[in-house]
Amino acid sequence: LDVCSSDLKSPQSIVKAAAGLWLDDGLRGLSEASKDDFSRYLAIPIQVKLGRRELGMQAAGALSPNMRVKGYTAVAVACAESKDVVGVNSAVEKMRLAAAAHEGGLSPEFETKMMVLNVTAALIDYGEFEAASRLLSSVEEHLDDVASKMSIAPQAQLYRVVLLAEQGDFDRARSLAMTMRPGSIHFSRGTALRTVAVLQT
């Protein structure tokens, strides 16, 4: 063949191009009405994974106000899975602005903390420990209200325990786990200690 190897497309790029065309075709079939918000929301992580982060951001910004925070969170989580920390930071900033502007439902501060923890979990899962630690610190610094202390603090503590253990600091991880309430509903001291033991093993 008189074709340079650099001109040949890899199977992965061909699949991504085809997926992009199918996605575009599907999105064209949706109306601008809020009833189609959920379908557009589901497409956002796919946009990011296809290398279309900015299109994902635009799609999140075009969602109705009650879905916009989730849209930006979807961008941030997909960026975390792609190890795109710049994209994570940008999406989290837009997520915080969207939460502050949204009226109704959960308080903006509480909603933001919950979504930031979701992004933190994705960063931990994909080994971006420094970025995860920075995000987690932004949550840990603002746990003043009762709802945050009851619902968010135990989850934040567990994620901090996991972060320490993932980085090999098992003594500090166990010490922090021992400060957790033994009876937290989902994020108990026992869960934290078992997690440390599994990671150390």
Side-chain angles (χ1 to χ4, degrees):
L1 292 175
D2 295 327
V3 181
C4 295
S5 59
S6 60
D7 294 332
L8 295 173
K9 291 187 176 180
S10 69
Q12 185 179 20
S13 67
I14 293 171
V15 170
K16 286 180 77 170
L21 290 173
W22 293 333
L23 181 62
D24 292 341
D25 189 49
L27 290 171
R28 276 193 293 272
L30 300 176
S31 71
E32 294 300 317
S34 60
K35 67 181 179 66
D36 284 332
D37 263 3
F38 188 68
S39 296
R40 286 195 293 273
Y41 163 75
L42 291 177
I44 288 172
I46 303 171
Q47 292 276 34
V48 176
K49 290 175 183 179
L50 290 175
R52 302 168 161 192
R53 185 180 76 198
E54 289 311 311
L55 287 178
M57 290 281 202
Q58 292 171 23
L63 295 174
S64 56
N66 63 323
M67 285 289 289
R68 203 165 292 153
V69 174
K70 291 180 181 177
Y72 285 124
T73 304
V75 175
V77 169
C79 286
E81 292 171 354
S82 303
K83 296 180 173 288
D84 176 8
V85 175
V86 172
V88 170
N89 293 337
S90 178
V92 167
E93 182 58 30
K94 289 180 183 292
M95 179 189 75
R96 285 178 165 141
L97 292 172
H102 179 50
E103 295 179 0
L106 297 172
S107 74
E109 295 83 6
F110 187 87
E111 185 176 20
T112 300
K113 290 170 194 167
M114 293 296 292
M115 296 302 174
V116 167
L117 285 178
N118 289 341
V119 179
T120 300
L123 287 167
I124 294 172
D125 283 345
Y126 287 86
E128 294 293 337
F129 302 135
E130 185 177 341
S133 183
R134 284 197 304 270
L135 269 189
L136 190 53
S137 294
S138 72
V139 173
E140 291 168 332
E141 290 166 3
H142 301 94
L143 293 173
D144 303 326
D145 57 285
V146 174
S148 292
K149 287 179 180 176
M150 294 296 293
S151 302
I152 293 176
Q155 188 173 353
Q157 281 181 302
L158 177 61
Y159 288 178
R160 182 61 71 184
V161 167
V162 173
L163 264 174
L164 290 168
E166 287 279 15
Q167 295 172 94
D169 197 343
F170 300 111
D171 289 339
R172 282 182 63 201
R174 275 189 293 273
S175 294
L176 178 58
M178 290 303 295
T179 68
M180 295 176 68
R181 296 195 310 271
S184 300
I185 297 174
H186 297 297
F187 305 100
S188 67
R189 180 189 301 169
T191 300
L193 289 170
R194 283 192 295 273
T195 302
V196 174
V198 167
L199 290 172
Q200 187 167 13
T201 302

